[in-house]
Amino acid sequence: PAPTGALPVSVRTAHLRDTSRRDPWNPDRYRELALSLWYPALPSRAPRASYVTARESALILRFHRVEGVPADLLARFRVHARTAPPPLPAPARGLPLVLLSPGFALPRSSLTGLAEELASRGYAVAAVDHAYEAPAISHPDGRV
């Protein structure tokens, strides 16, 4: 469903890398986090974001043993948030931040509806993926 708040919503993806420590699950790499940031935005005609990438869709569907549908099915869905329009100017006190953390091996995209709803009501929202738990996490270097 569409967000019920009065504010337009935008989403950006970020990747954080901590070069001060190694990943506890893969010591050959530094610790990394993939996250999505939703926020109240200025009105925009920017395209609506995809729910996930085509590769993520294929891996999520395979992980959940969904058969008989196109592998890129989840990537075909457009969410309500626009891709990276400028944020709405924040009040002097800033925006309240909500951190969303999925469980049960779900990706951060599973919290999209909740994140969009909160952002449409004036919250900044960050959702993180859990490396080696979520079935698909895209990284800037092309790794999934």
Side-chain angles (χ1 to χ4, degrees):
T4 62
L7 303 171
V9 177
S10 182
V11 63
R12 292 179 190 229
T13 300
H15 293 84
L16 306 176
R17 189 170 186 230
D18 182 353
T19 58
S20 70
R21 63 185 175 137
R22 295 290 180 171
D23 189 309
W25 299 106
N26 185 351
D28 294 337
R29 295 193 174 277
Y30 291 111
R31 183 74 171 124
E32 293 180 87
L33 285 177
L35 60 134
S36 294
L37 303 166
W38 289 268
Y39 53 89
L42 293 172
S44 172
R45 292 189 181 269
R48 289 172 47 190
S50 294
Y51 181 60
V52 294
T53 68
R55 181 73 177 125
E56 288 169 332
S57 175
L59 291 169
I60 291 167
L61 292 172
R62 185 170 71 196
F63 179 82
H64 291 287
R65 297 186 176 120
V66 176
E67 298 177 358
V69 299
D72 69 342
L73 179 67
L74 300 176
R76 297 179 188 186
F77 292 102
R78 296 288 175 250
V79 299
H80 297 282
R82 305 281 175 172
T83 55
L88 192 66
R93 67 182 188 340
L95 295 177
L97 173 65
V98 176
L99 176 62
L100 299 178
S101 176
F104 301 110
L106 293 171
R108 69 186 189 275
S109 58
S110 66
L111 298 168
T112 297
L114 176 59
E116 289 180 338
E117 178 65 27
L118 290 168
S120 79
R121 294 172 175 262
Y123 292 85
V125 181
V128 298
D129 265 327
H130 297 281
Y132 309 105
E133 281 186 34
I137 301 171
S138 294
H139 293 277
D141 63 5
R143 286 178 295 125
V144 178

